Amino acid sequence: MKIITKFILNLTSVSSIVLIATLNPSQFAVMGQVIPELPPGKPNTGSGGPRFIQPTENIDDPPIGRVRSVRGGCASSNQLSLTALVPKNKIGRTVSDYPTFFFYLPPTDAELAELILEDESGNQIYQQDLTIKNLSGVIGVSIPANTNVPPLEVGKSYTWKFTVVCDPEDRSSDQLETGIVRRVELTADILRQLDAADPRQKTVIYAENGIWQDALGTLAAARRANPNDKDLAADWESLLDSVTLPEIAKEPIVEREAQP
């Protein structure tokens, strides 16, 4: 009986050695390692759609006064107000020279809106006037790539201001959303992943690396091209839910008329 027991123990030991030998380095590293929890403010990225991961350096709110929202008096009784599609702290990272910003525009009597972009010194570097008459839903506002508008610089932060002009004669009733966009640079590894990815996969890659503007812009473009795609609609809901904007996910993405 002792001989049989000793044989079984030896066989188990040999099997364990063989199992360990077949593990690759990354699998071996997980053995006995405690998986760290995500820092506060970082939603988990489970299955079911892309989830935005807040960059560690952006978890804390920005200095008071740099980011604000002001509600004016020209919106309808719609329960949703003018809303910028950005993370809760109003800071969005981008890898684009000329990013696109997204806003939910509620039904309103206003006919005009404007987007202003300022550099770190508070100098206005861009302004765009928009016609929004009879327009409601999620809209994208792009900074045009031309010689009159300098591209965003890597490592720099810019303040954007999106205003719905309720009364051109009395701007005190304007509706205003303000936030910050930061230009960052992709690592070689992320670039390789993006090169081999389709739009849905790119959205996940951007979102999981904290690059909000490009995650949202990539997915919005895919949805506009495929408005009846249920998977893209589900991805959209998941992405907006990860930045506490689930109520906006049901609103339509609408196209604005080309500006003169």
Side-chain angles (χ1 to χ4, degrees):
M1 187 66 175
K2 291 183 179 180
I3 295 175
I4 294 174
T5 302
K6 185 176 181 181
F7 173 76
I8 294 174
L9 290 174
N10 288 339
L11 181 61
T12 301
S13 299
V14 171
S15 299
S16 299
I17 293 172
V18 172
L19 173 62
I20 293 174
T22 60
L23 294 176
N24 62 41
S26 61
Q27 292 172 310
F28 186 79
V30 173
M31 296 180 61
Q33 179 179 342
V34 177
I35 299 176
E37 294 182 357
L38 292 171
K42 284 192 174 185
N44 194 9
T45 53
S47 60
R51 307 288 293 178
F52 176 68
I53 299 295
Q54 185 71 259
T56 303
E57 68 272 19
N58 294 159
I59 288 178
D60 295 330
D61 289 336
I64 295 175
R66 291 202 64 188
V67 172
R68 65 194 182 105
S69 299
V70 178
R71 307 302 183 192
C74 60
S76 72
S77 58
N78 190 306
Q79 63 179 356
L80 296 178
S81 303
L82 173 67
T83 305
L85 274 60
V86 289
K88 190 174 181 179
N89 63 3
K90 299 291 185 71
I91 300 175
R93 300 202 303 177
T94 184
V95 297
S96 302
D97 295 343
Y98 300 95
T100 297
F101 301 91
F102 290 86
F103 306 91
Y104 167 68
L105 186 67
T108 177
D109 296 329
E111 298 183 4
L112 298 173
E114 67 179 11
L115 176 71
I116 291 175
L117 191 67
E118 298 175 348
D119 63 19
E120 292 181 330
S121 299
N123 300 313
Q124 180 176 311
I125 60 175
Y126 178 67
Q127 177 178 345
Q128 180 179 160
D129 296 323
L130 308 128
T131 300
I132 58 170
K133 185 177 181 180
N134 300 322
L135 193 65
S136 176
V138 174
I139 63 172
V141 184
S142 300
I143 299 177
N146 59 51
T147 56
N148 295 323
V149 183
L152 301 193
E153 295 183 45
V154 173
K156 297 291 183 68
S157 296
Y158 300 81
T159 299
W160 53 260
K161 299 176 182 178
F162 182 77
T163 306
V164 171
V165 182
C166 295
D167 182 355
E169 303 299 324
D170 179 12
R171 299 296 299 271
S172 65
S173 61
D174 286 356
Q175 291 180 288
L176 172 67
E177 280 277 83
T178 309
I180 293 171
V181 61
R182 290 177 177 162
R183 172 82 189 278
V184 297
E185 194 166 30
L186 292 172
T187 64
D189 180 57
I190 296 176
L191 282 172
R192 283 193 295 269
Q193 294 178 48
L194 290 169
D195 286 341
D198 62 26
R200 290 188 69 197
Q201 294 168 334
K202 286 180 179 179
T203 298
V204 172
I205 294 168
Y206 282 130
E208 291 186 345
N209 285 280
I211 305 172
W212 172 256
Q213 299 294 152
D214 301 84
L216 189 68
T218 298
L219 186 52
R223 288 206 67 201
R224 284 195 295 262
N226 304 276
N228 298 319
D229 191 309
K230 294 182 179 180
D231 290 332
L232 291 173
D235 286 353
W236 183 257
E237 290 187 20
S238 177
L239 186 61
L240 291 185
D241 178 71
S242 71
V243 293
T244 66
L245 292 175
E247 69 281 1
I248 303 296
K250 299 297 184 181
E251 299 298 325
I253 301 175
V254 296
E255 294 283 354
R256 295 184 300 106
E257 293 183 6
Q259 302 298 298

